[in-house]
Amino acid sequence: CKLRFEISPILLQRSLMLARSIKRAAGAAARHIVPASRAFSSRSHVFPTFASVSRPSPWGLQAKRSMFIETHATPNMNSLKFHPGKPVLKSGTMDFPNRREAMQSPLAKAIFRIDGVDGVFFGPDFITVTKAKDEMPWGELKAEIFAAIMDFYSSGVPILSEGVENSTDTVIHEDDSEVVALIKELLDTRIRPAVQDDGGDINYVSFEEDSGVVTVKLQGACSSCSSSKVTLKSGVENMLMHYVPEVTEVVALDEEVEDEMDPVVKQQRKFLEEMTGETYKTPAC
């Protein structure tokens, strides 16, 4: 017994039209996937990026990767926040101010391989990259940073090397005094979230009971920001002095001597004088 299958001309025509429609739709979708280097606009502070890249990876993998990465501007014109849309650190933050410190993280080490990168900072869900002053513009650096981040997340490698732990500076210990415990709590709950929004962090270093001086360390975008002095004095110091009467001053660790002729420094001092009614003196005075 032989079976015969007959296809009507109308059904055949409809099938061909459907196949052509699917082919055109697939071609249009492929044209909307753009390289990372062209997937942002410099007109906005937020640069959404969808990139599909296929190239050899530093970790020996070769695969097609797609990630949505956002970049946010910070008060420091030499620093940018990169949000990969995935967790960066489970808790706390980590600062990599130089290549030697970056050896603790495969991702930080990969970003430091890019010419012009001067610092890397990890937050809970963001990566802050600081470029050297007067180096290449961000337009030339972003594409390489995007590629380094996508390479890392496609590799499955842990973000920190084995045995490396992130900062626990505000953990309250049994031997901490009541004043120190209150300072740490304020730094962790009231001040740190605002500083991290700007792509940096503030770490507790010490408190001198005799003088009432609190020493902190600024990290990430805040460590080299020209407005960090204003943030430290008008923000951090005022808040700690308000809630903790024992605090008389807040200073940053490793403060650099300011340039007396720098217009930014002059503007900062004028602002501080208006806020406090006093003439602010640099540590070198």
Side-chain angles (χ1 to χ4, degrees), residues 32-42 44-53 65-72 80-86 138-139 141-150:
H32 281 81
I33 299 178
V34 297
S37 59
R38 299 181 331 194
F40 57 85
S41 170
S42 58
S44 172
H45 289 300
V46 181
F47 313 92
T49 302
F50 180 83
S52 180
V53 182
R65 304 175 305 284
S66 298
M67 282 188 68
F68 183 83
I69 301 176
E70 289 185 357
T71 62
H72 296 256
L80 274 183
K81 288 176 68 178
F82 293 78
H83 290 259
K86 297 181 179 181
W138 280 116
L141 289 173
K142 284 178 184 176
E144 295 187 63
I145 297 172
F146 288 146
I149 294 173
M150 287 186 287

Side-chain angles (χ1 to χ4, degrees), residues 17 89 143 184 238:
M17 291 175 63
L89 291 179
K184 287 183 175 181
N238 286 351

Side-chain angles (χ1 to χ4, degrees), residues 137-285:
W138 280 116
E140 298 180 17
L141 289 173
K142 284 178 184 176
E144 295 187 63
I145 297 172
F146 288 146
I149 294 173
M150 287 186 287
D151 279 336
F152 170 77
Y153 277 100
S154 67
S155 70
V157 176
I159 195 165
L160 298 179
S161 302
E162 187 176 355
V164 177
E165 298 181 357
N166 51 351
S167 174
T168 57
D169 61 291
T170 52
V171 174
I172 299 176
H173 304 287
E174 294 182 359
D175 57 345
D176 286 340
S177 65
E178 184 178 348
V179 174
V180 171
L182 182 56
I183 292 172
K184 287 183 175 181
E185 183 178 356
L186 287 170
L187 286 173
D188 198 39
T189 60
R190 301 293 295 274
I191 298 173
R192 176 166 278 164
V195 177
Q196 288 184 358
D197 282 343
D198 289 338
D201 199 8
I202 182 169
N203 284 358
Y204 170 83
V205 178
S206 65
F207 171 68
E208 298 179 9
E209 295 185 0
D210 297 336
S211 60
V213 176
V214 177
T215 302
V216 297
K217 184 176 182 180
L218 298 174
Q219 296 181 327
C222 300
S223 62
S224 58
C225 181
S226 59
S227 62
S228 61
K229 186 74 67 177
V230 175
T231 301
L232 189 68
K233 293 296 178 180
S234 65
V236 179
E237 184 176 276
N238 286 351
M239 178 174 287
L240 289 182
M241 290 176 64
H242 176 77
Y243 288 103
V244 188
E246 291 83 356
V247 175
T248 60
E249 186 181 9
V250 177
V251 298
L253 189 67
D254 299 329
E255 288 182 326
E256 296 181 356
V257 177
E258 295 174 335
D259 184 0
E260 299 286 342
M261 304 305 296
D262 189 343
V264 176
V265 173
K266 291 182 179 180
Q267 186 176 1
Q268 290 175 358
R269 290 186 180 181
K270 182 179 179 181
F271 175 78
L272 288 170
E273 290 174 9
E274 293 174 355
M275 291 287 293
T276 63
E278 300 178 357
T279 301
Y280 176 72
K281 296 182 178 180
T282 64
C285 295

